[in-house]
Amino acid sequence: MWTQQPIVIGHRGASGYRPEHTLASYELAARMGADCIEPDLVSTSDGILVARHENEISSTTDVIERPEFVRRRRSKTIDGREVTGWFTEDFTLEEVRSLRAIERLPGLRQQNRVFDGRYQVPTLEEIFALRARLSEELGREVGVYPETKHATHFESLGLGLEKPLVAALETAGLNRADAAVYLQSFELGSLLRLRHDLGVQVPLILLATTSGAPPDLVAAGDDRTYADLLTATSLHKLAADIDGIGPDKRLVIPWRPDGTLGDPTSLVADAHAAGLVVHPWTFRAENVFLPADYRLGGDAANWGRLTEEIESYLMAGVDGFFTDHADLGVAARDGSARSR
């Protein structure tokens, strides 16, 4: 294995400290000790993969303030949900590169707003180049953990994400079983295309939420939900095609009705029995994202006891975790290892 376990995944970079999905955010996460940086991938109209949390970009770029793009505002159905705004698939790469990133959670992360307007939207190739540079500079392999975002939607537009992703992996010399890469998706079909149609050799991770179903299964009339896919029996079947799961953290340890952290479910043990790794998401320092018994003070934006929350999951046996605060994730992982 190219890195120690459990792994710390810089969720959208160090998004607790910089606007998410920017080269500055990814670089900071790596310098804080994250084992992987995590870009969400969407496509431009000319088929170039760029990093944004969603293809709708009004909350993560300054597009609203650009009069030249006012007529691009649209309403679309994305994975069964009506969304209004500006979408990457309606912009060329050149147009996307003219925009600047802004903080997505300004009410909670006002300190990040000082960086609004400073950074461009990065391409996947730029992220791979950054990974290579930082690996050399830091003297360790910095991993990358891309997600195919809204894969079925982009496939329907003739802008499938998987082929350009694999092409970029090949160009970077990263389509190897021992490469510092994981690929992830909420859509099982995207992972199956990567493995069986495109010959991806790196580990594949199926993401899962606490409710609902993979959008591609819904579109195909398959009535299986995430809950159905995460049973012990289903996990054993999935292990023929994928290498792990990335569940909402509450699927590993649910919250009690009073909001406090409950007891672990059998999910980690079930996944491990099937030979799958478990990388839950997302661990954030702000009170609003923490169980009630890990919060400090009454303000939603105050930081609570994130390291202790993460340690509870490490004790439950997870193999890694996504966090917006890579430095605190590393501290929790390393502190937990020393205590065992």
Side-chain angles (χ1 to χ4, degrees), residues 171-246:
T171 300
L174 292 173
N175 189 16
R176 314 183 319 270
D178 62 344
V181 179
Y182 289 88
L183 300 182
Q184 55 172 329
S185 183
F186 282 101
E187 301 190 36
L188 182 59
S190 181
L191 299 179
L192 296 179
R193 285 193 294 276
L194 287 165
R195 176 71 82 219
H196 299 300
D197 297 342
L198 299 171
V200 159
Q201 299 178 44
V202 302
L204 302 178
I205 306 296
L206 177 64
L207 302 172
T209 63
T210 56
S211 62
D216 58 317
L217 297 188
V218 173
D222 188 325
D223 61 1
R224 285 178 296 171
T225 67
Y226 286 116
D228 296 324
L229 294 172
L230 297 182
T231 66
T233 299
S234 291
L235 290 171
H236 275 278
K237 293 178 180 177
L238 287 173
D241 298 307
I242 67 172
D243 303 278
I245 57 173

Side-chain angles (χ1 to χ4, degrees), residues 20 48 115 158 197 222 243 283 287 335:
E20 65 188 34
I48 305 301
F115 300 103
D197 297 342
D222 188 325
D243 303 278
F283 293 88
N287 277 338

Side-chain angles (χ1 to χ4, degrees), residues 27-68:
E27 179 164 355
L28 181 58
R31 293 190 181 282
M32 286 178 163
D35 299 296
C36 294
I37 54 178
E38 188 249 355
D40 297 338
L41 300 178
V42 295
S43 181
T44 63
S45 63
D46 42 356
I48 305 301
L49 299 186
V50 296
R52 288 290 87 190
H53 170 51
E54 296 287 349
N55 57 328
E56 199 291 296
I57 54 175
S58 62
S59 65
T60 60
T61 72
D62 61 357
V63 67
I64 292 176
E65 300 173 7
R66 299 299 185 95
E68 67 269 32

Side-chain angles (χ1 to χ4, degrees), residues 16 49-50 74 92 96 112 126 136 175 187 196 225 257 282 285 302 311 330 335:
L49 299 186
V50 296
R74 309 243 192 298
T92 65
V96 168
N112 288 5
E126 288 176 320
E136 182 175 356
N175 189 16
E187 301 190 36
H196 299 300
T225 67
T282 301
N302 282 359
E311 287 167 356
V330 170

